[in-house]
Amino acid sequence: DATSFAVRVAPLGGTGLVLVLAEDQTEHRRLEAVRRDFVANISHELKTPVGALSLLAETVQDASDDPEAVRRFTERMQTEANRLTAVIQDLITLSRIQGAEPMAEPTRVDLNAVVEEALDTVRMPADAKGIELVGSGAEGVTVMGDEGLLGTALRNLISNAVAYSPKNTRVAVSVGKSSSSVDISVADQGIGIPQQDLERIFERFYRVDAARSRATGGTGLGLAIVKHIMTHHRGEVTVWSKEGSGSTFTLRLPRPETGGYDAPRNTDRQ
Ligand code: ADP
């Protein structure tokens, strides 16, 4: 992509001089392209279930004298409606965090409660696959932040771990402290992620295998949401993965007592 400039000319009142401003448009154009892709992706992600719903409605009308067919097709309509709801919900979450200022009032968050609640929300799908859920190390550990958002980030990682793991494996959530951070890791023994996809999985709507993601009810937005939540907390999310053996995602939060999150923020707002 060639560098391009926008040139603005402004007369300097009364001096007979003009001011010439050259603005680099390359970054602007790149962001514009990202935005266009995102809008195109949203349209696609919303149109697909709506198209399926409309087709299914027609089919149900045609099959009105076959109760078994009606039951089957209306069940699929429910699935498509759920998918639509999930995409819309994730889009709302994403746009809320993306537009958010750095947190004004972070509160002290008890990680043990966050981990337990996140594990509870996946207990049913995990049981159905015989996946063992284990949590460790969170007792008595706190961080500064937004409890609801940290819960969302952890839930997204744990539900992916369950969704992308075969039967009778284990998903382990462990909390550990280093001198400067609190780390929450979610390790699975699942299908893993190919090396070449690792750096893209945090992009909105990026999926390694679109069919598999849809089959598990994925929206393709879960990890983008996690990434933004961590940025919002001045932390980061990292991933280690090996195809066929599993993945470990780690949420790294600055420790308040080292000045990380609580440091004055008015000088370096981004
Ligand atoms: P999705 O709704 O598709 O799961 P995400 O943003 O949560 O969207 O994840 C993006 C993609 O990263 C997924 O489609 C999947 O291919 C891959 N992925 C995420 N978590 C895991 C995991 N624990 N194991 C294997 N692949 C994963």
Side-chain angles (χ1 to χ4, degrees), residues 160-161 164 188 191-193 201 206-209 213 218-224 247 249:
N160 277 349
Y164 299 108
D188 66 51
I191 60 172
I193 301 159
I201 53 172
Y206 189 84
R207 298 158 166 122
V208 176
D209 177 344
S213 159
T219 63
L221 292 170
L223 290 179
S247 313
F249 285 81

Short mmCIF file of all heavy atoms in Angstrom, two decimals, residues 160-161 164 188 191-193 201 206-209 213 218-224 247 249, ligand 1:
data_model
loop_
_atom_site.label_atom_id
_atom_site.label_comp_id
_atom_site.label_asym_id
_atom_site.label_seq_id
_atom_site.Cartn_x
_atom_site.Cartn_y
_atom_site.Cartn_z
N ASN A 160 -14.57 -21.73 25.18
CA ASN A 160 -13.80 -22.19 24.02
C ASN A 160 -13.07 -23.49 24.35
O ASN A 160 -13.05 -24.43 23.56
CB ASN A 160 -12.75 -21.16 23.60
CG ASN A 160 -13.34 -20.06 22.72
OD1 ASN A 160 -14.45 -20.17 22.24
ND2 ASN A 160 -12.56 -19.01 22.50
N ALA A 161 -12.44 -23.53 25.54
CA ALA A 161 -11.66 -24.71 25.94
C ALA A 161 -12.55 -25.96 25.89
O ALA A 161 -12.15 -27.01 25.39
CB ALA A 161 -11.09 -24.51 27.33
N TYR A 164 -13.69 -26.71 22.06
CA TYR A 164 -12.66 -27.23 21.14
C TYR A 164 -11.86 -28.39 21.74
O TYR A 164 -10.70 -28.60 21.39
CB TYR A 164 -11.74 -26.09 20.68
CG TYR A 164 -12.53 -25.01 19.94
CD1 TYR A 164 -12.79 -23.77 20.52
CD2 TYR A 164 -13.05 -25.27 18.67
CE1 TYR A 164 -13.54 -22.81 19.85
CE2 TYR A 164 -13.79 -24.31 18.00
CZ TYR A 164 -14.04 -23.08 18.59
OH TYR A 164 -14.79 -22.14 17.94
N ASP A 188 -6.34 -26.42 28.07
CA ASP A 188 -7.17 -27.55 27.63
C ASP A 188 -6.32 -28.60 26.94
O ASP A 188 -5.13 -28.38 26.67
CB ASP A 188 -8.32 -27.07 26.73
CG ASP A 188 -7.84 -26.49 25.41
OD1 ASP A 188 -7.04 -27.16 24.70
OD2 ASP A 188 -8.27 -25.37 25.05
N ILE A 191 -8.10 -29.66 20.50
CA ILE A 191 -7.60 -29.82 19.13
C ILE A 191 -6.40 -28.92 18.83
O ILE A 191 -5.67 -29.16 17.89
CB ILE A 191 -8.71 -29.54 18.08
CG1 ILE A 191 -9.25 -28.10 18.22
CG2 ILE A 191 -9.83 -30.56 18.23
CD1 ILE A 191 -10.21 -27.70 17.11
N GLY A 192 -6.19 -27.87 19.62
CA GLY A 192 -5.07 -26.98 19.38
C GLY A 192 -5.31 -26.05 18.20
O GLY A 192 -6.34 -26.14 17.52
N ILE A 193 -4.35 -25.14 17.98
CA ILE A 193 -4.50 -24.12 16.94
C ILE A 193 -3.23 -24.12 16.07
O ILE A 193 -2.13 -24.05 16.61
CB ILE A 193 -4.68 -22.72 17.58
CG1 ILE A 193 -5.93 -22.73 18.48
CG2 ILE A 193 -4.78 -21.62 16.53
CD1 ILE A 193 -5.94 -21.64 19.52
N ILE A 201 -6.20 -15.19 15.62
CA ILE A 201 -7.42 -15.63 16.30
C ILE A 201 -8.07 -14.55 17.16
O ILE A 201 -9.23 -14.67 17.51
CB ILE A 201 -7.20 -16.91 17.16
CG1 ILE A 201 -6.03 -16.69 18.11
CG2 ILE A 201 -7.00 -18.13 16.29
CD1 ILE A 201 -5.88 -17.82 19.12
N TYR A 206 -12.47 -13.87 13.11
CA TYR A 206 -11.50 -14.82 12.56
C TYR A 206 -11.71 -16.18 13.22
O TYR A 206 -11.78 -16.30 14.43
CB TYR A 206 -10.06 -14.36 12.79
CG TYR A 206 -9.07 -15.22 12.04
CD1 TYR A 206 -8.78 -14.96 10.70
CD2 TYR A 206 -8.47 -16.32 12.66
CE1 TYR A 206 -7.91 -15.78 9.99
CE2 TYR A 206 -7.59 -17.13 11.95
CZ TYR A 206 -7.32 -16.86 10.63
OH TYR A 206 -6.46 -17.67 9.93
N ARG A 207 -11.83 -17.21 12.38
CA ARG A 207 -11.97 -18.57 12.90
C ARG A 207 -11.02 -19.49 12.15
O ARG A 207 -10.81 -19.31 10.96
CB ARG A 207 -13.39 -19.10 12.67
CG ARG A 207 -14.47 -18.30 13.37
CD ARG A 207 -15.76 -18.55 12.64
NE ARG A 207 -16.93 -18.11 13.37
CZ ARG A 207 -17.78 -17.22 12.87
NH1 ARG A 207 -17.56 -16.68 11.69
NH2 ARG A 207 -18.83 -16.88 13.57
N VAL A 208 -10.46 -20.48 12.86
CA VAL A 208 -9.58 -21.44 12.19
C VAL A 208 -10.44 -22.32 11.28
O VAL A 208 -10.08 -22.60 10.15
CB VAL A 208 -8.83 -22.30 13.23
CG1 VAL A 208 -7.99 -23.36 12.53
CG2 VAL A 208 -7.96 -21.40 14.12
N ASP A 209 -11.58 -22.75 11.79
CA ASP A 209 -12.46 -23.65 11.05
C ASP A 209 -13.89 -23.14 11.25
O ASP A 209 -14.50 -23.36 12.29
CB ASP A 209 -12.28 -25.07 11.61
CG ASP A 209 -13.21 -26.09 10.97
OD1 ASP A 209 -14.20 -25.68 10.30
OD2 ASP A 209 -12.95 -27.29 11.12
N SER A 213 -16.64 -23.84 14.30
CA SER A 213 -17.04 -22.75 15.18
C SER A 213 -18.56 -22.62 15.22
O SER A 213 -19.16 -22.48 16.28
CB SER A 213 -16.40 -21.43 14.71
OG SER A 213 -17.10 -20.33 15.22
N GLY A 218 -20.33 -20.86 18.15
CA GLY A 218 -19.40 -19.74 18.25
C GLY A 218 -19.82 -18.57 17.36
O GLY A 218 -20.49 -18.74 16.35
N THR A 219 -19.42 -17.36 17.78
CA THR A 219 -19.74 -16.17 17.00
C THR A 219 -18.49 -15.62 16.30
O THR A 219 -18.59 -14.73 15.46
CB THR A 219 -20.26 -15.04 17.90
OG1 THR A 219 -19.21 -14.68 18.82
CG2 THR A 219 -21.48 -15.46 18.67
N GLY A 220 -17.31 -16.11 16.66
CA GLY A 220 -16.08 -15.57 16.10
C GLY A 220 -15.65 -14.27 16.76
O GLY A 220 -14.69 -13.63 16.34
N LEU A 221 -16.38 -13.88 17.81
CA LEU A 221 -16.06 -12.60 18.48
C LEU A 221 -15.49 -12.78 19.88
O LEU A 221 -14.99 -11.83 20.49
CB LEU A 221 -17.32 -11.73 18.57
CG LEU A 221 -17.85 -11.21 17.22
CD1 LEU A 221 -19.22 -10.57 17.41
CD2 LEU A 221 -16.89 -10.20 16.61
N GLY A 222 -15.55 -14.02 20.40
CA GLY A 222 -15.17 -14.27 21.79
C GLY A 222 -13.77 -13.77 22.14
O GLY A 222 -13.59 -13.05 23.13
N LEU A 223 -12.78 -14.12 21.32
CA LEU A 223 -11.40 -13.75 21.66
C LEU A 223 -11.14 -12.26 21.42
O LEU A 223 -10.33 -11.65 22.11
CB LEU A 223 -10.40 -14.60 20.87
CG LEU A 223 -10.32 -16.07 21.29
CD1 LEU A 223 -9.31 -16.82 20.43
CD2 LEU A 223 -9.94 -16.20 22.77
N ALA A 224 -11.84 -11.66 20.44
CA ALA A 224 -11.70 -10.20 20.23
C ALA A 224 -12.19 -9.48 21.49
O ALA A 224 -11.58 -8.51 21.95
CB ALA A 224 -12.48 -9.76 19.00
N SER A 247 -4.31 -26.22 24.10
CA SER A 247 -4.00 -24.79 24.12
C SER A 247 -4.03 -24.27 25.54
O SER A 247 -4.77 -24.79 26.38
CB SER A 247 -5.05 -24.00 23.32
OG SER A 247 -5.30 -24.60 22.08
N PHE A 249 -4.49 -20.43 27.26
CA PHE A 249 -4.66 -18.98 27.15
C PHE A 249 -4.39 -18.38 28.52
O PHE A 249 -4.85 -18.93 29.53
CB PHE A 249 -6.08 -18.62 26.71
CG PHE A 249 -6.34 -18.90 25.25
CD1 PHE A 249 -6.65 -20.18 24.82
CD2 PHE A 249 -6.28 -17.88 24.31
CE1 PHE A 249 -6.89 -20.45 23.48
CE2 PHE A 249 -6.52 -18.12 22.97
CZ PHE A 249 -6.83 -19.41 22.54
P1 ADP B 1 -15.53 -18.69 18.14
O1 ADP B 1 -16.86 -18.12 18.49
O2 ADP B 1 -15.43 -19.13 16.72
O3 ADP B 1 -15.04 -19.71 19.12
P2 ADP B 1 -13.39 -16.99 19.17
O4 ADP B 1 -13.05 -15.57 18.87
O5 ADP B 1 -13.72 -17.34 20.58
O6 ADP B 1 -14.55 -17.39 18.18
O7 ADP B 1 -12.16 -17.88 18.70
C1 ADP B 1 -11.63 -17.72 17.40
C2 ADP B 1 -11.14 -19.06 16.86
O8 ADP B 1 -9.98 -19.48 17.60
C3 ADP B 1 -12.13 -20.19 16.98
O9 ADP B 1 -13.01 -20.23 15.88
C4 ADP B 1 -11.21 -21.41 17.01
O10 ADP B 1 -10.85 -21.76 15.69
C5 ADP B 1 -9.97 -20.91 17.72
N1 ADP B 1 -9.93 -21.25 19.16
C6 ADP B 1 -10.25 -20.44 20.21
N2 ADP B 1 -10.07 -21.06 21.38
C7 ADP B 1 -9.61 -22.32 21.09
C8 ADP B 1 -9.20 -23.45 21.88
N3 ADP B 1 -9.23 -23.42 23.22
N4 ADP B 1 -8.76 -24.54 21.21
C9 ADP B 1 -8.72 -24.58 19.86
N5 ADP B 1 -9.08 -23.54 19.07
C10 ADP B 1 -9.51 -22.43 19.66
#
